[in-house]
Amino acid sequence: MTLDEFTIQETRKFPQATGELSALLRDIGLASKMINKQVLKAGLVDILGKHGATNVQGEEQMKLDIYANDTLIAVLQNSSDCAGIASEENDEHVCFSDEFSVQSKYVVLFDPLDGSSNIDVNAPIGTIFSIYRRVSEIGKPCTPEDFLQPGNRLMAAGYVIYGSSTMMVYATKLGVNGFTLEPSIGEFCLSHPDLKCPEKGKIYSINQGNTSKYDEGMRAFLNYCMESNKEEGRPYGHRYIGSMVADMHRTLIKGGIFMYPADKSNPKGKLRLQYECNPMAFLIEAAGGIASDGHGRILDIEPKELHERSPIFIGSKNLVNKALSFVKEGEAVAG
Ligand code: FDP
């Protein structure tokens, strides 16, 4: 079953549905096929490497980042299926003010090419997206409030991973499904129906090189993961690609925990709430896992600004709960 066929079937479950959400998922699928084409030949053409400009986060933009960003914006604007977008690569949101787009009830947020420091070394990278129902008046241009909604109001979210194969995985409240790109027909085909994150995981994923910058609780949890305990199957395996989409894809399929906690240099963590943490939290919760910032549910955070960051602990219930108990204990000891 192709992505298009699947989204149409899902829409039929809701007689009142207009098909707009399905259309948006298909648009994102189309844009990601275009991005995938460039990613595949990145080493052959002059598209690999740095662009020279710096984005709003102060990071150097890569050429492929810019291509991915422009492609998503162009596809979503041309289709008139959404009222506006916000991108990790743009300072402000963009409203689509043509007569059809303003009638749409949705806005889309995306990180066009996440894990971009992996581009030059041929490691997996990805696109992360979120779809919200707008809170502004339909028929008028979208407003900043449309993009500052908590994750618990998401309608759909997901990612595309450009890895050994290209996959699109997305979640709605109905569940999580994965589609693999079949290159000979250029279609995403349902390959991983009704994905569930294993309740018990045995893999921890974190930039362990930052250990000296973590607080007591975090360091104690890492020691717990590394300690031997036959009955509990420890030490746990450590895997870290350094590309959130790739680390999360493994966490979803195999179970485990992915963490980017606060540390001395990044008191709010590194990852962006609206572009990375919320969509992944929505997806992992829909798959039966949990996601916290160390104190509460990621999805319940009220965003204050478009590019804010959040610590994240996400994945299988057993490991996330265990990590949170260590973090809390560490905070209690520190007073
Ligand atoms: P990148 O800087 O390569 O774009 O948010 C960006 C991100 O990658 C995530 O994809 C990844 O999980 C994280 O940063 C890696 O950060 P560290 O290099 O600090 O581990």
Side-chain angles (χ1 to χ4, degrees), residues 98-112:
D98 62 274
E99 55 174 318
F100 300 111
S101 301
V102 291
Q103 295 302 334
S104 168
K105 50 180 186 275
Y106 295 112
V107 293
V108 180
L109 286 82
F110 51 81
D111 180 352

Side-chain angles (χ1 to χ4, degrees), residues 14 35 61 75 92-93 117 121 130 141 145 161 190 209 226 231 239 252 288 293 297 300 312 319-320 325 332-333:
F14 301 94
I35 297 166
Q61 283 180 297
V75 168
E92 305 286 345
H93 70 273
S117 49
V121 296
S130 316
E145 291 70 41
I161 178 166
L190 182 63
M226 291 186 287
E231 277 149 40
R239 301 279 182 278
L252 172 67
D293 68 350
R297 201 173 162 227
D300 289 338
I312 187 164
L319 275 183
V320 176
S325 68
V333 172

Side-chain angles (χ1 to χ4, degrees), residues 59 88 111 113-118 207 210 240 242-245 247 258 260 270-272 276:
E59 301 158 333
E88 199 209 306
D111 180 352
L113 214 56
D114 186 72
S116 48
S117 49
N118 279 308
N207 187 341
N210 288 336
Y240 188 69
S243 169
M244 191 192 194
V245 172
D247 284 314
F258 171 80
Y260 210 109
K270 176 185 181 192
L271 304 181
R272 288 77 175 173
E276 294 169 310

Side-chain angles (χ1 to χ4, degrees), residues 214-279:
Y214 297 143
D215 60 23
E216 262 317 300
M218 202 53 232
R219 290 209 295 267
F221 177 63
L222 295 182
N223 284 331
Y224 165 86
C225 292
M226 291 186 287
E227 268 163 20
S228 252
N229 181 321
K230 243 187 174 171
E231 277 149 40
E232 293 181 21
R234 285 186 283 134
Y236 295 142
H238 176 248
R239 301 279 182 278
Y240 188 69
I241 298 166
S243 169
M244 191 192 194
V245 172
D247 284 314
M248 280 308 305
H249 189 59
R250 182 198 54 249
T251 304
L252 172 67
I253 305 243
K254 296 203 166 170
I257 182 169
F258 171 80
M259 296 165 278
Y260 210 109
D263 63 40
K264 280 183 194 142
S265 347
N266 305 297
K268 290 206 77 185
K270 176 185 181 192
L271 304 181
R272 288 77 175 173
L273 176 63
Q274 292 297 73
Y275 304 107
E276 294 169 310
C277 301
N278 267 334

